[in-house]
Amino acid sequence: MSAEEDDALEGQVTAFLESHSGGERIVWFSVLPAVASGLVYAVLEVSQAGKSRDVAFVILLCAATVFLAFATVYFRCQLCHTAVLLYRNSAAAPAGETVPRRRTWCYRMRAWRRGVDSPGHLLELVFDRTAMATCGLAYGILLGSAPLIVGVYENNWRLRGWLMAFLFCANLITGAALYTLVMTLRQCWHLAKRLDITFFRRTTKAVQEYSRILTVITVSGAVYIGLCQMSAIFSHFGGLWVCGYAMFAIGLYICMYYLPQMPIRRRLAAERDEVLLHINEAKARLLQQEVNPIMLNELARIHDTEDRVMKMGVGLSATNASLVELAAVIAGIIPLVSALIRGYAVAFAQ
C-alpha cells in the first residue's frame, strides 16, 4: 500500500473521531441513571417493604453496568487505534476518500451482507449512535418489563416502578453494547476472509490485532455475563429465568469467539490438508524404495514433520485461546459459587 493510501485510511479514522467526539462521555453519563435508579429502588425496598433481598442484586448489576461502560469505552479506543492496521493490506477505498455519513438501515443491511472495506466505514457502522440508541431502547424496554411478567411487587406499584426503571436503565447500555458487539463480530467474519494469513504464517500484526480484538471482546463478555448471572441469583428472577439467561449467555459467548474465526479456520484446515497430502505422497515414494538407513532416517523425519503439522492446529493464538477458555470456566463457576453463598446466607439467617 502506498503512503498516500495509508494516509487516506488514517484520515478516515481522524474524521470519525472528529464527527463522534465525546463518545466516551456519553457512555459514562448513561451509567448515572442506572446507578441512581438502582440506589433509589434498594433504599425503598428496605424502608417500605422491610426487605433487603435485592440489595446484592442492585450492587452486582450496577457493577456489571459500570464494567460494561468501561469495556465499551476501552474497545472504542482500541478499535480506533487498530482499524487502519486491519484494513491496511485489504482496504479498497481510493486515496483521499472521506468517511461517508450513511445512517440508513439499507446501508447497514448491505454492510451486514457484504462487509465494509475501510476503517472509516467500520467505525461508522459499529459505533452508529442512532442504531445503538434504538437497540438500547428496545432491549431496555424488553428487560424492563420483566417485573410485570414475573409479578414482582404486584401490590406496591412504587417499588415495581423503580425496579422497572432500574432494569430499563441498566439494560439500555446493554442493548447499545449488544448492537456494537454484533456488528463488530459480523465485520470480523468478513475481515477473516480478507486477512493475509497462511498455515505457516500467522504472526503478522494484522492477524495479531484481529486475534486480540476477539479475545478482548470475549473475555469482557465473560466478565459481564458472570456478574449478570450473579446478580440474577440474588434477585426475584430465579428458576427458569436464570437458566434461560445462562443459555443465552453461553450461546452469545460461543458466538463471540468462535464464529468470526470460521473463515480463517476453514482456510487453514484446507491448507493443512494439502500439506498432509504432500507429506503422504512423500512417504509413499519412500516406501517404494529399498529399505536402508538413509530411507529410514528420511521416513522418520517426515513422520516428525507430520506430527508437528498436526499439532499446529487451525486456530490463531494459543495464548489468547487459553485466556478465553479460562474466562469461560470462571464465568461458568461464578453462578454456582454465588448460589452456594446465597444458600448458606439464607440458612444462617434462619
Side-chain angles (χ1 to χ4, degrees):
M1 176 174 287
S2 65
E4 291 79 7
E5 291 174 329
D6 196 55
D7 290 341
L9 297 182
E10 293 283 358
Q12 290 188 9
V13 176
T14 302
F16 167 80
L17 292 174
E18 291 175 352
S19 62
H20 289 72
S21 60
E24 293 85 355
R25 292 193 297 272
I26 293 175
V27 173
W28 285 122
F29 280 130
S30 64
V31 174
L32 298 178
V35 175
S37 58
L39 179 63
V40 172
Y41 168 69
V43 170
L44 287 177
E45 186 186 39
V46 174
S47 62
Q48 293 189 3
K51 301 177 182 179
S52 59
R53 176 177 178 175
D54 279 354
V55 172
F57 162 66
V58 170
I59 293 174
L60 289 169
L61 191 54
C62 285
T65 303
V66 173
F67 173 81
L68 183 60
F70 170 80
T72 302
V73 171
Y74 175 79
F75 176 69
R76 183 180 187 269
C77 295
Q78 292 300 308
L79 194 59
C80 288
H81 284 111
T82 61
V84 172
L85 181 61
L86 293 173
Y87 284 91
R88 178 167 288 146
N89 296 321
S90 60
E97 181 180 324
T98 57
V99 181
R101 301 294 297 275
R102 300 170 180 171
R103 299 186 180 276
T104 64
W105 287 101
C106 291
Y107 170 72
R108 298 186 189 102
M109 291 303 297
R110 288 196 299 270
W112 176 269
R113 292 194 305 269
R114 304 174 186 175
V116 296
D117 59 359
S118 65
H121 291 175
L122 175 69
L123 295 171
E124 283 275 353
L125 180 70
V126 169
F127 298 107
D128 188 330
R129 292 177 180 174
T130 302
M132 291 176 69
T134 303
C135 292
L137 287 171
Y139 195 78
I141 292 172
L142 178 64
L143 273 295
S145 62
L148 296 176
I149 301 173
V150 179
V152 179
Y153 289 122
E154 293 180 330
N155 299 323
N156 192 328
W157 280 94
R158 189 177 184 185
L159 272 178
R160 173 182 279 191
W162 277 107
L163 176 59
M164 293 176 63
F166 171 55
L167 291 175
F168 169 79
C169 294
N171 287 285
L172 182 70
I173 302 174
T174 306
L178 192 59
Y179 166 82
T180 295
L181 169 67
V182 171
M183 284 299 176
T184 301
L185 295 180
R186 179 58 176 171
Q187 295 308 311
C188 283
W189 172 283
H190 291 298
L191 267 172
K193 302 176 183 178
R194 304 166 61 176
L195 285 176
D196 184 16
I197 181 174
T198 63
F199 186 76
F200 293 107
R201 189 168 66 89
R202 315 182 196 182
T203 58
T204 63
K205 288 184 178 181
V207 174
Q208 290 175 345
E209 288 300 326
Y210 177 87
S211 177
R212 191 172 68 86
I213 285 174
L214 289 180
T215 303
V216 168
I217 291 174
T218 309
V219 173
S220 300
V223 174
Y224 175 73
I225 288 168
L227 289 171
C228 288
Q229 288 178 324
M230 286 176 61
S231 67
I233 289 173
F234 290 96
S235 72
H236 294 277
F237 311 106
L240 293 177
W241 283 92
V242 176
C243 295
Y245 185 83
M247 295 301 295
F248 166 75
I250 291 172
L252 184 62
Y253 184 82
I254 293 173
C255 291
M256 282 190 291
Y257 187 70
Y258 290 105
L259 280 184
Q261 295 185 40
M262 289 304 296
I264 291 177
R265 298 177 72 91
R266 285 199 296 261
R267 189 196 318 171
L268 296 183
E271 293 182 11
R272 181 188 61 184
D273 293 342
E274 185 176 354
V275 171
L276 292 175
L277 177 61
H278 291 306
I279 290 175
N280 288 330
E281 291 175 351
K283 286 194 298 184
R285 287 193 298 268
L286 280 175
L287 292 174
Q288 292 175 359
Q289 301 176 9
E290 183 180 353
V291 177
N292 56 66
I294 296 177
M295 187 273 280
L296 292 177
N297 288 334
E298 186 68 17
L299 190 62
R301 187 180 65 82
I302 291 177
H303 275 292
D304 183 58
T305 301
E306 183 180 28
D307 184 62
R308 289 201 301 269
V309 169
M310 291 299 297
K311 289 180 179 179
M312 286 179 67
V314 293
L316 296 180
S317 170
T319 302
N320 289 343
S322 299
L323 182 61
V324 167
E325 292 169 2
L326 177 61
V329 172
I330 294 175
I333 291 176
I334 284 177
L336 300 177
V337 175
S338 302
L340 290 175
I341 293 175
R342 183 189 178 195
Y344 281 121
V346 172
F348 180 78
Q350 293 176 350

